Amino acid sequence: MIINQLQGSTPKKINIDYKLNNTRQLLQELGNSISKLVNSSEDVFSDPGIKSSLKEFFTVYQEAVERLENPSFRIATLGTTSSGKSTIVNALIGRKIAPIEAGEMSGGVLSLKHSQQRKLKIADTKDAVWDTGEWTGLSDEDLYQRIRTVMHSYHDARKKREYVAPQVTASVPLLPASDPSFLGLPEGIGIELFDLPGLKSVQDRTNLATIQQQVNKAFSIVALDYMQVDDNHRKLLLEELKKVVEYLQGRTDSMIFILNRVDQRGTDDLPLEERINKLRKEIQEVLSLPKLPDVIPFNARLLYYAQCAWGSGALNEPSQIDGKTRLKLLSAMFQDCASLIKLNTKENKSLKRWFRDIEDQVEDEEYIDDETMRKILHYCLEWSGGTELWKCFRERVKDSFAELVILPALMGVFNHYNALSKKFDVLIDAGKIYNQEQVKRKREKINDIRNFFHQHVKQIGKEFKAEIEELISGLKKHDPQADLEVVKNAKEKGYEGFNSIVNAVSGVEADLTKYLIAPVRYGLNNNQLYFQLRDKLQEVVSPALADDIAKTYDNVSRRLKSFSRESEYFVKSVRTDNDKGKKELEHDERHVRLLYHTMKVAMSARAEFFLQGKAKQFEQALESFVDEQVKRLKNHLSEQTFASLIDLENAAISDLQQKLDKNLPTLPDKFFEVQYDFKLNHTRKTEVIGQKTEYETRTKTEYESNEETYEEGSCFKETKTRTKTQPVTREYQEEVTRDVTGEVEYINMFLPSPDLMAKQWSSGVKKKKESLWVSPQNSGVRSYSGIHDQPKGLEED
């Protein structure tokens, strides 16, 4: 009765206070009832199985009581690249805490909790190069600078190796908690905001899993950039949005989409309402939403300046912001948001003059009182989209409070209560036996069931294993048509989740090809610069890995220029007596091997990241496998005369589900083994190997000249001379240099071309896809501290 009331939903008309108090009361009644039952039947609860289940139940029960005594409403900010998430967070809390400079977050998780006692906690993480610990009594500026320093340190450090992202928690007064009217929550409900990094800043499985845990328990704001929703960019934006929601595993039923920076729209843009309606339909289609989502046009910077100039206190109370800070923020608002203020005041001349007067006061550093600031904030809430956002929040809180705050606290109680109940039913059934004869017959029946149960569990397990192996063998054909047939067969056998696993496994290959293999191949074929490839790869792997690949790529790219292309290989020949040339060949090969090594490490890391994003699909698929086996087991039991003790089977299934929750599938370690396909051979050639000098006797004909005198025949005699030549032969010795030929031995190095490299890497992916179906012996998340550990002989020159 009590558990049914807890699981049932209360009418939406009943306010949140009633839901919370009623749940607390029902939970207390459940605990009291179980305690009374234990005290009245100590002999029953002395059973080891019951005692174990009871202990687990009271553990999660106590946790639920504490969570409901101090309930917290959580909001997570997701977003596409450079969408202004942190500015939005600061605008919503009324203070500058989240670092807003470009790239500040870079993968860290910032949690903001409402508290009158100001405190900063930076969790102690392995090998952290930033300060960790707890601090109290810090000002907003101190908080901001400390958080900023942590994020900067993490950003710089992860360029060299991978780290667990900083987990930063700042406890300060938050606007929606100080003024409950913003969210429509009753007093006493805690508020938490999570400023989560962009997806491109989270490229490893460990940090992704941490963020997924936060998003799963929170209401989500998804920030989009208006400058990316034009026809040229919208497709890329929606693709990124789909990945953000899919990888971070946000609940699409509790999301509000914010279209930030609408103040940057041009006068010739489509009407804003038309663009938003178009975007809503496309988001619904891309994310497969049951209804059109809320998309709110927003100007985060305007609201950020105005709200922080007021502070995080309620509007009906005096502001705690000092005059100097207020003037500084308003001055920035008038400077950065001038066009937006002008746009919204152009139809109201008196309002325009009023804002001009305020701007003059700010420039003259005149004090802006609270009443004036309230009025400024009122307009800024309207113009920025803040009023619409808080209204949307209140409506969603009313609809989703039970699912987001109450239900998560009770799920553990439900599961453990069911397990306890199933086991208890078995004992109750056994307690109906009153005489020895009945006891004897019942024991015999139980033994029969036990034997039958164990026998069929093993048989069903064998059938399941055989069927799965048959399905996997069909996938190993690497034939798309065969894959479709496998999925069809799996569905016929009752394995509804098999299709999602097939898609995830195939997705690994497509993802690695598109985001790692193809960019490196393109770079080598087109002489791309080092930093261009590095920046591209940083979108899909950690900065350290992207830098490793880019550096080795750069070395390989430069060295291949001294090779000639022959079919699928680059070839370079060096004489065996050329020691310097042979040394260079060794370096050439070593750098290509190093490129293969770094690609293998990156592919493994990216595969794990990709599959972590599909964790929900794997869990759902595994549950469908278990459900099918349970169904078959029930069919076997129902065929026998065991109906009276069917609860024994239910109890076993309940235990199985609990174990499944604690033992989720793990990913294979050392996922890829890429084979190096290098060739080396020796050849001989006949060619000039030297020169020799000889002396030869040669004859040479020379001509000697003799002059003679003669007279011209005319009436005027004139004497002239002329030259007369005659040949003379002489002998002489001449030095002659001749080439000496002989056989020369060469070492020929054949290195794979970029296209062949890509084929070999892709082949490594295909060969190891099947290992995704095998659970490794060592569970847990693999550490990346050894990313820079290179194979022997791969040290730098």
Side-chain angles (χ1 to χ4, degrees):
M1 173 70 177
I2 295 173
I3 203 71
N4 289 336
Q5 285 182 276
L6 282 172
Q7 290 175 317
S9 60
T10 55
K12 290 185 179 179
K13 293 180 181 179
I14 301 177
N15 62 36
I16 291 171
D17 240 342
Y18 174 83
K19 290 181 181 181
L20 195 55
N21 290 330
N22 189 46
T23 303
R24 288 168 178 160
Q25 182 180 346
L26 290 170
L27 187 62
Q28 187 66 43
E29 290 178 11
L30 175 64
N32 292 339
S33 298
I34 297 295
S35 296
K36 288 178 182 178
L37 193 58
V38 172
N39 294 332
S40 63
S41 309
E42 292 182 1
D43 56 332
V44 173
F45 285 92
S46 63
D47 177 84
I50 295 291
K51 186 182 289 186
S52 175
S53 290
L54 184 66
K55 182 180 180 181
E56 291 180 356
F57 168 79
F58 274 117
T59 299
V60 296
Y61 170 82
Q62 194 58 44
E63 290 175 357
V65 169
E66 292 174 3
R67 286 182 66 177
L68 291 178
E69 283 301 318
N70 301 284
S72 184
F73 185 78
R74 298 177 173 182
I75 302 172
T77 55
L78 316 177
T80 55
T81 306
S82 302
S83 53
K85 291 186 293 80
S86 297
T87 303
I88 293 171
V89 169
N90 290 331
L92 295 181
I93 66 175
R95 55 196 338 131
K96 183 182 177 182
I97 301 293
I100 57 178
E101 289 91 340
E104 288 288 352
M105 289 304 295
S106 300
V109 177
L110 174 61
S111 172
L112 299 165
K113 293 184 177 182
H114 176 68
S115 174
Q116 295 301 328
Q117 296 181 340
R118 304 167 65 88
K119 183 171 68 174
L120 177 66
K121 180 180 179 180
I122 303 174
D124 186 17
T125 52
K126 184 180 179 182
D127 299 331
V129 294
W130 50 86
D131 289 340
T132 62
E134 293 188 18
W135 298 265
T136 58
L138 300 177
S139 67
D140 282 4
E141 181 62 24
D142 290 336
L143 285 169
Y144 185 89
Q145 292 301 332
R146 282 184 180 271
I147 295 170
R148 181 176 179 273
T149 299
V150 168
M151 299 306 178
H152 261 313
S153 298
Y154 172 62
H155 175 71
D156 293 339
R158 69 198 295 255
K159 293 177 182 178
K160 300 176 182 178
R161 52 160 287 190
E162 197 53 71
Y163 288 88
V164 176
Q167 309 293 307
V168 182
T169 302
S171 299
V172 292
L174 302 180
L175 175 66
S178 300
D179 190 341
S181 63
F182 278 95
L183 285 175
L185 291 171
E187 291 186 11
I189 305 294
I191 302 291
E192 292 182 58
L193 279 87
F194 296 95
D195 189 10
L196 302 176
L199 185 61
K200 291 181 179 179
S201 297
V202 185
Q203 299 302 346
D204 66 272
R205 173 183 164 178
T206 308
N207 292 331
L208 179 60
T210 301
I211 294 172
Q212 287 172 340
Q213 292 172 5
Q214 306 292 359
V215 174
N216 283 334
K217 301 173 184 176
F219 188 99
S220 298
I221 296 175
V222 184
L224 309 173
D225 184 0
Y226 176 84
M227 301 307 291
Q228 301 297 320
V229 297
D230 61 288
D231 292 338
N232 294 329
H233 297 94
R234 195 166 58 252
K235 183 178 179 181
L236 293 175
L237 174 79
L238 292 171
E239 286 178 0
E240 184 180 350
L241 173 62
K242 185 175 182 179
K243 287 180 182 177
V244 168
V245 175
E246 182 182 87
Y247 275 81
L248 301 186
Q249 297 180 359
R251 290 181 49 177
T252 54
D253 62 333
S254 57
M255 284 184 174
I256 295 176
F257 296 87
I258 289 180
L259 187 58
N260 194 24
R261 301 194 179 104
V262 292
D263 55 311
Q264 296 185 20
R265 60 188 303 269
T267 54
D268 57 346
D269 283 1
L270 286 173
L272 185 57
E273 185 177 355
E274 181 179 338
R275 177 150 283 175
I276 287 178
N277 287 334
K278 189 175 183 179
L279 185 61
R280 291 177 71 200
K281 292 177 183 177
E282 290 180 334
I283 290 175
Q284 181 186 24
E285 182 179 346
V286 167
L287 300 184
S288 302
L289 302 179
K291 61 181 182 179
L292 288 172
D294 292 309
V295 178
I296 299 174
F298 211 72
N299 295 288
R301 189 163 289 276
L302 176 66
L303 183 58
Y304 158 71
Y305 286 134
Q307 190 65 68
C308 289
W310 173 263
S312 60
L315 282 176
N316 59 356
E317 298 177 1
S319 171
Q320 300 299 311
I321 299 298
D322 64 89
K324 185 176 180 181
T325 300
R326 178 174 290 173
L327 285 173
K328 182 179 178 181
L329 288 163
L330 289 178
S331 175
M333 183 188 78
F334 281 115
Q335 181 175 342
D336 294 351
C337 307
S339 59
L340 182 59
I341 295 172
K342 181 180 179 181
L343 177 67
N344 284 279
T345 57
K346 68 178 182 180
E347 302 296 333
N348 188 331
K349 291 184 178 180
S350 62
L351 184 61
K352 182 187 292 186
R353 285 194 295 271
W354 184 80
F355 265 94
R356 282 178 179 172
D357 290 342
I358 299 298
E359 186 175 5
D360 289 341
Q361 287 181 262
V362 170
E363 287 181 359
D364 295 339
E365 297 186 355
E366 296 180 16
Y367 175 72
I368 305 298
D369 60 47
D370 280 3
E371 191 58 39
T372 303
M373 191 63 237
R374 284 191 184 95
K375 191 174 180 180
I376 294 172
L377 181 55
H378 167 76
Y379 286 116
C380 290
L381 278 165
E382 288 290 334
W383 299 341
S384 67
T387 300
E388 182 63 26
L389 176 61
W390 288 119
K391 177 185 175 183
C392 190
F393 259 131
R394 288 190 293 273
E395 292 173 353
R396 292 298 190 91
V397 165
K398 188 184 299 182
D399 293 337
S400 305
F401 180 82
E403 290 82 359
L404 292 171
V405 178
I406 297 176
L407 191 59
L410 298 177
M411 287 308 298
V413 176
F414 291 161
N415 293 336
H416 285 79
Y417 176 87
N418 287 334
L420 178 63
S421 176
K422 299 300 183 185
K423 288 183 179 180
F424 194 61
D425 287 345
V426 174
L427 288 185
I428 290 175
D429 189 49
K432 296 176 182 177
I433 305 169
Y434 297 108
N435 57 59
Q436 293 298 319
E437 187 61 31
Q438 285 180 313
V439 171
K440 182 179 179 181
R441 287 200 303 268
K442 208 68 171 179
R443 283 179 176 174
E444 290 175 354
K445 191 91 168 185
I446 290 173
N447 284 331
D448 290 342
I449 289 177
R450 183 185 291 116
N451 295 333
F452 179 86
F453 190 78
H454 288 170
Q455 176 186 349
H456 282 81
V457 165
K458 290 180 180 179
Q459 181 61 33
I460 290 171
K462 288 181 180 179
E463 292 174 2
F464 170 74
K465 184 177 180 181
E467 289 174 358
I468 293 297
E469 287 178 350
E470 181 184 350
L471 294 172
I472 293 175
S473 65
L475 295 174
K476 290 179 180 179
K477 296 177 181 178
H478 304 301
D479 178 7
Q481 190 60 40
D483 290 353
L484 292 175
E485 195 64 32
V486 168
V487 172
K488 181 181 177 183
N489 291 340
K491 192 172 183 179
E492 291 173 354
K493 295 179 186 294
Y495 303 133
E496 296 290 341
F498 201 84
N499 186 35
S500 62
I501 294 182
V502 171
N503 290 338
V505 173
S506 299
V508 171
E509 181 179 358
D511 182 85
L512 294 179
T513 300
K514 179 177 181 180
Y515 294 111
L516 277 178
I517 297 174
V520 176
R521 177 183 60 191
Y522 176 85
L524 288 169
N525 278 328
N526 295 276
N527 295 319
Q528 194 174 38
L529 296 176
Y530 151 80
F531 68 88
Q532 291 176 316
L533 179 63
R534 180 202 61 197
D535 294 348
K536 181 76 174 174
L537 294 179
Q538 281 183 353
E539 297 179 4
V540 294
V541 294
S542 67
L545 271 177
D547 194 54
D548 279 352
I549 295 174
K551 284 179 179 176
T552 54
Y553 151 85
D554 192 46
N555 285 327
V556 169
S557 180
R558 286 186 285 106
R559 287 180 175 277
L560 287 181
K561 291 178 181 178
S562 62
F563 283 67
S564 59
R565 183 73 177 260
E566 288 187 16
S567 185
E568 287 191 308
Y569 290 89
F570 280 102
V571 184
K572 184 177 181 180
S573 299
V574 174
R575 287 172 54 157
T576 55
D577 58 354
N578 183 350
D579 292 338
K580 183 179 178 181
K582 288 194 295 183
K583 192 67 176 176
E584 278 300 307
L585 272 188
E586 291 177 10
H587 290 332
D588 294 335
E589 179 188 357
R590 183 159 55 85
H591 282 290
V592 175
R593 285 184 181 274
L594 183 57
L595 177 60
Y596 272 62
H597 168 70
T598 53
M599 283 296 291
K600 182 180 73 171
V601 173
M603 287 191 294
S604 295
R606 177 66 186 180
E608 288 186 331
F609 175 80
F610 179 88
L611 292 174
Q612 179 63 44
K614 305 290 183 182
K616 262 188 181 176
Q617 296 180 25
F618 279 104
E619 291 174 28
Q620 292 168 355
L622 192 58
E623 287 175 7
S624 77
F625 294 161
V626 173
D627 288 342
E628 178 58 25
Q629 292 183 78
V630 168
K631 190 188 302 180
R632 296 182 189 182
L633 184 58
K634 286 182 177 179
N635 290 337
H636 280 292
L637 288 170
S638 62
E639 292 171 2
Q640 309 299 318
T641 58
F642 299 147
S644 62
L645 287 179
I646 192 70
D647 283 339
L648 180 66
E649 175 260 344
N650 286 335
I653 292 170
S654 179
D655 275 349
L656 176 64
Q657 290 173 339
Q658 279 186 277
K659 290 177 181 178
L660 181 61
D661 289 339
K662 298 175 184 177
N663 297 281
L664 297 177
T666 54
L667 299 175
D669 196 16
K670 297 181 180 178
F671 187 63
F672 300 108
E673 292 297 335
V674 180
Q675 298 299 317
Y676 305 116
D677 187 14
F678 303 148
K679 298 179 181 179
L680 192 69
N681 64 24
H682 291 254
T683 57
R684 289 181 174 276
K685 297 179 182 178
T686 300
E687 58 183 45
V688 176
I689 60 174
Q691 291 181 325
K692 63 179 181 179
T693 302
E694 297 177 346
Y695 292 92
E696 294 183 353
T697 302
R698 294 181 179 269
T699 59
K700 184 175 182 182
T701 302
E702 298 178 348
Y703 292 90
E704 293 183 348
S705 300
N706 296 313
E707 293 183 350
E708 61 178 359
T709 303
Y710 65 94
E711 293 180 352
E712 291 281 356
S714 67
C715 55
F716 300 97
K717 290 184 180 179
E718 183 179 355
T719 302
K720 293 184 177 181
T721 61
R722 62 183 176 188
T723 302
K724 185 177 181 182
T725 61
Q726 61 182 13
V728 178
T729 301
R730 292 191 175 92
E731 291 185 353
Y732 65 95
Q733 293 289 316
E734 183 177 9
E735 184 179 289
V736 179
T737 302
R738 289 194 175 91
D739 292 333
V740 179
T741 61
E743 282 194 342
V744 179
E745 186 175 7
Y746 278 85
I747 300 174
N748 306 301
M749 172 71 75
F750 292 80
L751 295 179
S753 67
D755 294 335
L756 183 55
M757 288 182 191
K759 286 182 182 178
Q760 292 172 358
W761 297 333
S762 297
S763 176
V765 177
K766 291 177 181 177
K767 288 177 181 177
K768 299 297 286 186
K769 270 201 309 184
E770 291 80 17
S771 67
L772 285 170
W773 299 89
V774 182
S775 179
Q777 296 297 320
N778 298 322
S779 61
V781 179
R782 181 157 61 90
S783 170
Y784 291 108
S785 59
I787 280 177
H788 292 270
D789 294 339
Q790 302 169 357
K792 187 176 180 181
L794 292 182
E795 297 83 359
E796 290 291 341
D797 289 341

